[in-house]
Amino acid sequence: MNMNEMQSIVWMDGEFIENTNAKVHFFTSTLHYGSSVFEGTRAYNGKIFKEKEHNIRLYKSAEIIQLKPKISLEEFTKIQREVMARNNLTDCYIRPLIWFGPETMGLKTANNETHMAIAAWEWGTYFSEDLVETGLRLTWSEWRRPDPKTAPSVAKAGGLYMICSMSKNQAVQRGYDDALMLDYRGYIAECTAANVFFIRGKNIITPKADCFLNGITRQTIINEIAPALGYNIIERHILPEELGEFEQCFITGTATEVMPVGEVDEIKFKVGKEVLEIRNSFRSLTIHPNS
């Protein structure tokens, strides 16, 4: 979708306006320094999936970055639903954003106003459904997830996604679907906008989320879907040289949902009944219209 051509109603700083009128000042601090927080949520059949968890995380991220939302979490939740209603959407992606205004130019933001906006639009699958059968093709990113002492890894903050965008672009330019990132210690971390899981027998192994975002879809797999299907979840540090020991691989995220992985560079994975079972269970849980 060309977002430049999209016609919709967004909520911005207390008003419902046409998206073409949702503008920010040139001296907006966040525009220069990347100090925004955001969420990405999906609605299925009119119901926002894990709405409470996403909204709590957004406000926690704002607190970490020292942004100060002017409305309560409860009011925010109502507005988010109203944005959907005004755009006549039942199956859609929702993007709330919180950022610092233009009052002062520089790194000091204590006197800058906090701004908020919410948009929603129709967005199908992040990756083509044609890739489910073969699985995604991943390559290694040149960039690594940073030490939590150098960046607020528990916040869904805009600035942290710059290396993700760079990694994604490099991967696509090389003919891959996405990139797999290591962390600052050399352990496997995640993809550019999705968490990663590996299957061996009845074990599902996934990296410890100690320096990257513990995704809400990730938590859904770990706490709900995997136990219900009889899998054992193992969260631990994983070295790149271990990849050949795993049978299957998949990635998860709000945009990505659940997608099988067919290869990471030269290492191949099968798209077996296990990963498809997990994918189908997730689709059923989200009340997916195509499930």
Side-chain angles (χ1 to χ4, degrees), residues 36-48:
S36 65
V37 297
F38 67 98
E39 270 298 324
T41 59
R42 277 190 185 268
Y44 301 91
N45 293 341
K47 181 179 179 181
I48 300 174

Side-chain angles (χ1 to χ4, degrees), residues 82-246:
E82 179 67 17
V83 170
M84 284 180 57
R86 289 184 181 234
N87 287 287
N88 298 312
L89 295 170
T90 56
D91 294 88
C92 63
Y93 189 83
I94 305 162
R95 169 53 53 84
L97 181 70
I98 309 178
W99 69 96
F100 286 113
E103 285 74 20
T104 57
M105 174 52 68
L107 298 179
K108 181 182 176 182
T109 56
N111 296 323
N112 288 50
E113 186 177 352
T114 293
H115 294 268
M116 300 181 72
I118 305 171
W121 63 92
E122 289 186 5
W123 193 13
T125 54
Y126 187 69
F127 293 104
S128 170
E129 288 289 304
D130 295 339
L131 296 173
V132 174
E133 185 176 342
T134 59
L136 302 175
R137 297 181 65 243
L138 307 182
T139 187
W140 294 105
S141 170
E142 297 178 11
W143 300 92
R144 296 192 175 195
R145 275 293 172 207
D147 186 328
K149 294 180 180 178
T150 65
S153 58
V154 296
K156 194 171 177 69
L160 294 175
Y161 280 77
M162 182 179 69
I163 57 174
C164 299
S165 179
M166 295 167 68
S167 299
K168 176 77 172 184
N169 289 338
Q170 289 174 347
V172 171
Q173 288 164 8
R174 293 174 56 193
Y176 291 89
D177 300 303
D178 207 345
L180 187 59
M181 305 179 76
L182 301 178
D183 69 16
Y184 65 101
R185 298 160 296 192
Y187 295 124
I188 293 173
E190 60 176 349
C191 286
T192 58
N195 295 124
V196 65
F197 292 82
F198 303 97
I199 300 176
R200 184 168 56 207
K202 292 301 289 185
N203 292 323
I204 295 179
I205 304 97
T206 190
K208 291 180 67 174
D210 57 2
C211 65
F212 57 87
L213 206 63
N214 180 12
I216 290 171
T217 307
R218 177 183 187 273
Q219 296 173 45
T220 302
I221 299 295
I222 291 172
N223 299 323
E224 300 176 44
I225 292 176
L229 295 175
Y231 291 96
N232 305 308
I233 284 286
I234 301 170
E235 296 180 76
R236 66 172 175 84
H237 294 138
I238 304 170
L239 291 166
E241 50 264 36
E242 293 184 66
L243 284 189
E245 302 173 11
F246 303 124

Side-chain angles (χ1 to χ4, degrees), residues 42-54:
R42 277 190 185 268
Y44 301 91
N45 293 341
K47 181 179 179 181
I48 300 174
F49 183 66
K50 299 291 181 181
E51 179 182 60
K52 180 179 179 181
E53 291 86 344
H54 278 285

